[in-house]
Amino acid sequence: LKSWEGEEGEEGSGGRKGGPPEGAMALRINVFIIVLTITQILIIVAYSQLTFNDGYGEQQKLDEARQKLKDKEDALREPTPAPLESEYGQPDLPFMFDMNMYTYLGMCLTMTYLRKYAYTSLGMSFLMGCLAQEWCCLLLQWIPLGYCSFLKSNFAEVGCPYGSNPDLTQFENFQRARACTCDSLEDKIALNIADFIQGQFGVVAVLVSYGALLGKVNPLQMLIIVICNVAAYCGNKFLSVDYRGGVDNTGSLYTTHIFGAAFGLGCSVVVSGKRPSENPDNAARYQSNNYAILGSLFMFVCYPSFNSYWAPASLRVYVATNTFAALMCGGMFAFIWSNLIYPEGPSVMHLQDGVLAAGVAASTPACMFIPPIFMMLVGAGGTLISALSFRYLQPRIDDQDTQGITSLHLLPGLWGALVMEAVTILGIDTETVTLNNREMLGEIMPHFGEQWSSAATQALILAFALFVGAIAGALTGLLANLTGKVALAGSYSDHVFWIVPDDFTHIGEEGADIKVM
């Protein structure tokens, strides 16, 4: 077996010119394909040894005493008709469709705005999304199983009686209840559709990071980045939500948007070559922008589902309503702010990213029983911050941030985190403001009722997201650099990675024609 390359002068000219001689039997083997194949085989082996198909969807798990009582009641009950579909986890199916549309249609299409990079933007986003979802589903189950074993041993003497233990804090009671119902590390991972949906939030974090790296990394580097990104995402989510009890159960503001942006920027600072923004192919054209707008529309439509999935079932409609209010107001203010800030006229990218920034800012605050009118202000604020950032900050960091994830995910995410901090201080810790349905906050806030614990925890998980993301991204960038870099003339151009049509042209530079995939 041997690798083939096109003849000198024909690379990137399209058709069959870059392929093997006609009639020849050849396979194209390189390091990326070998590593990708080995990675996929290892993941398949891991799934075969560590998981089984739960089969019937998400069911509420009870502690042993309650389960015996329920079994006894079921045995005495008269026979009933076949169970409804809703009892077998089918309510998760609409979320699966919306999440697939948000991730693989929406986010992937928004990256096609570069005029000569659509093949790689879509192809790498799809490939790395599949890899990230496989890897993330395993880790999101595996890490909590290990933690569950610790909780079971920690609360073994307390036991699992009904109700809260007055000798324990609110968070300790929350952890004790989890210890009574979770599986331990000795058990195989029971996979169902809910696990794959939750894994897609890790895919979103990867694609957010990829926005800063567009055009500057080769496929082998991106494979390494995805594996490290997902591991850091799952570790940060465990530290922030499971271990520390932070609130990030709608939209994953801290663990997806802020973390993904911090990771991508930390990695991009290390892997970016010299002045990549000076490449003339680092620009959009009319046709490519149209596809990016279409991707934004898909994300816009699916944002309520994306933000409400992690919420408790009783709050999903509330969260979706608040998200929709923020999006509608953000859509209106995206036009207002853009026209005010850009007297010469706004670009389409500023408008589409401004609208999506409203959904980012609203993600976690949407669960905090804030009236819709205030959620509209949250959305308008996220849009304003995005527009200002694109106008004044983005031109200064173009070399490190290709797509503008600083303006779309990081800064609007920090605005949403600031709103969360204000709500926890004013509405929970000091009770200066009365929140709607305040009695339900115990369902979503493990530290509810502990003075200042909620505000301190939210500030801590914000620091976790920024610190873990930036440091993990920089270390991953150092590791990715060991595999080489893309030449300036080869960045932002599909001809380095794909056989391209005859009408495709690229700028010339030594090393630009070397294919790396």
Side-chain angles (χ1 to χ4, degrees):
L1 302 180
K2 65 178 182 177
S3 165
W4 56 263
E5 296 290 347
E7 296 179 6
E8 185 177 358
E10 295 180 337
E11 186 67 67
S13 58
R16 304 270 320 159
K17 293 181 180 180
E22 187 173 353
M25 193 69 177
L27 291 179
R28 192 161 178 270
I29 305 297
N30 57 33
V31 176
F32 168 68
I33 296 301
I34 294 173
V35 174
L36 183 65
T37 303
I38 293 173
T39 302
Q40 183 59 55
I41 291 173
L42 291 176
I43 289 178
I44 291 173
V45 172
Y47 269 85
S48 68
Q49 297 298 314
L50 301 175
T51 70
F52 70 94
N53 193 333
D54 199 19
Y56 296 108
E58 184 73 14
Q59 306 261 357
Q60 182 177 2
K61 184 167 180 173
L62 305 175
D63 61 73
E64 188 175 350
R66 289 177 181 157
Q67 188 64 52
K68 288 182 180 179
L69 180 61
K70 182 177 182 298
D71 293 341
K72 184 177 180 180
E73 291 174 351
D74 291 343
L76 296 174
R77 187 178 294 125
E78 292 291 328
T80 58
L84 298 174
E85 287 187 353
S86 61
E87 297 181 30
Y88 285 143
Q90 264 71 7
D92 279 335
L93 287 178
F95 282 100
M96 181 194 71
F97 299 142
D98 286 353
M99 287 297 297
N100 280 334
M101 190 179 297
Y102 181 95
T103 307
Y104 293 107
L105 276 178
M107 295 196 75
C108 291
L109 281 175
T110 59
M111 298 192 189
T112 60
Y113 74 95
L114 291 172
R115 60 183 184 178
K116 296 181 181 178
Y117 209 60
Y119 285 7
T120 309
S121 296
L122 282 175
M124 285 296 101
S125 296
F126 176 69
L127 175 62
M128 298 310 164
C130 292
L131 172 60
Q133 184 148 12
E134 289 180 329
W135 182 220
C136 192
C137 284
L138 276 180
L139 290 184
L140 280 181
Q141 299 300 312
W142 207 1
I143 295 174
L145 285 180
Y147 188 51
C148 182
S149 298
F150 165 77
L151 291 178
K152 286 181 180 295
S153 62
N154 194 40
F155 292 103
E157 295 182 2
V158 181
C160 296
Y162 298 106
S164 298
N165 188 326
D167 296 328
L168 302 177
T169 65
Q170 166 75 8
F171 183 54
E172 287 173 337
N173 275 304
F174 181 85
Q175 296 288 58
R176 180 185 65 112
R178 181 176 179 181
C180 294
T181 59
C182 64
D183 296 321
S184 63
L185 194 59
E186 291 76 20
D187 302 315
K188 272 195 171 185
I189 300 173
L191 286 180
N192 53 54
I193 191 63
D195 299 316
F196 286 99
I197 297 174
Q198 292 166 14
Q200 283 196 295
F201 286 83
V203 177
V204 172
V206 167
L207 294 180
V208 169
S209 300
Y210 186 39
L213 300 165
L214 273 177
K216 296 178 288 190
V217 291
N218 62 47
L220 181 57
Q221 288 177 311
M222 198 58 211
L223 191 152
I224 295 170
I225 291 169
V226 168
I227 293 174
C228 296
N229 193 329
V230 170
Y233 164 81
C234 294
N236 178 63
K237 188 171 184 63
F238 166 74
L239 288 174
S240 300
V241 179
D242 298 329
Y243 182 74
R244 194 60 186 86
V247 177
D248 198 25
N249 54 358
T250 54
S252 294
L253 172 68
Y254 300 87
T255 55
T256 297
H257 294 293
I258 295 177
F259 168 82
F263 186 100
L265 292 171
C267 187
S268 181
V269 167
V270 177
V271 302
S272 297
K274 295 181 179 179
R275 303 179 303 280
S277 61
E278 295 180 6
N279 188 322
D281 288 336
N282 182 17
R285 62 180 176 184
Y286 184 77
Q287 188 73 21
S288 60
N289 259 342
N290 286 338
Y291 289 116
I293 295 170
L294 182 61
S296 297
L297 291 176
F298 280 122
M299 293 176 68
F300 181 87
V301 169
C302 298
Y303 237 123
S305 293
F306 178 81
N307 279 358
S308 62
Y309 178 74
W310 280 107
S314 58
L315 297 180
R316 279 178 172 174
V317 173
Y318 189 94
V319 172
T321 303
N322 271 351
T323 301
F324 203 69
L327 285 171
M328 293 299 104
C329 189
M332 298 293 290
F333 272 97
F335 282 84
I336 296 172
W337 300 137
S338 296
N339 280 279
L340 289 175
I341 295 172
Y342 295 90
E344 69 278 10
S347 77
V348 172
M349 183 177 181
H350 302 146
L351 294 175
Q352 68 190 50
D353 285 352
V355 175
L356 297 179
V360 173
S363 53
T364 299
C367 72
M368 295 304 293
F369 302 106
I370 304 174
I373 183 172
F374 289 108
M375 288 305 303
M376 295 172 77
L377 296 179
V378 171
T383 302
L384 174 60
I385 290 171
S386 176
L388 289 172
S389 177
F390 269 113
R391 181 73 169 94
Y392 298 108
L393 177 61
Q394 204 61 46
R396 301 173 182 271
I397 58 173
D398 270 348
D399 284 345
Q400 289 76 39
D401 186 3
T402 304
Q403 193 184 21
I405 64 171
T406 303
S407 305
L408 174 55
H409 296 278
L410 181 60
L411 295 182
L414 293 177
W415 162 245
L418 180 63
V419 172
M420 275 293 294
E421 198 67 26
V423 171
T424 53
I425 293 175
L426 298 177
I428 297 173
D429 290 333
T430 65
E431 299 186 27
T432 305
V433 177
T434 302
L435 299 176
N436 298 330
N437 302 316
R438 189 175 186 276
E439 66 280 358
M440 297 182 65
L441 283 171
E443 294 186 26
I444 58 176
M445 303 201 75
H447 291 281
F448 180 69
E450 302 172 28
Q451 187 71 13
W452 298 111
S453 289
S454 297
T457 301
Q458 293 307 117
L460 186 61
I461 68 171
L462 173 60
F464 277 167
L466 291 171
F467 179 79
V468 175
I471 298 301
L475 293 176
T476 302
L478 291 174
L479 181 62
N481 270 345
L482 298 178
T483 66
K485 290 188 176 183
V486 178
L488 175 61
S491 59
Y492 310 107
S493 181
D494 282 331
H495 77 278
V496 179
F497 308 124
W498 308 86
I499 295 177
V500 292
D502 290 331
D503 58 354
F504 187 94
T505 58
H506 61 85
I507 62 176
E509 183 183 287
E510 184 179 357
D513 289 340
I514 300 176
K515 280 193 178 292
V516 295
M517 186 177 80

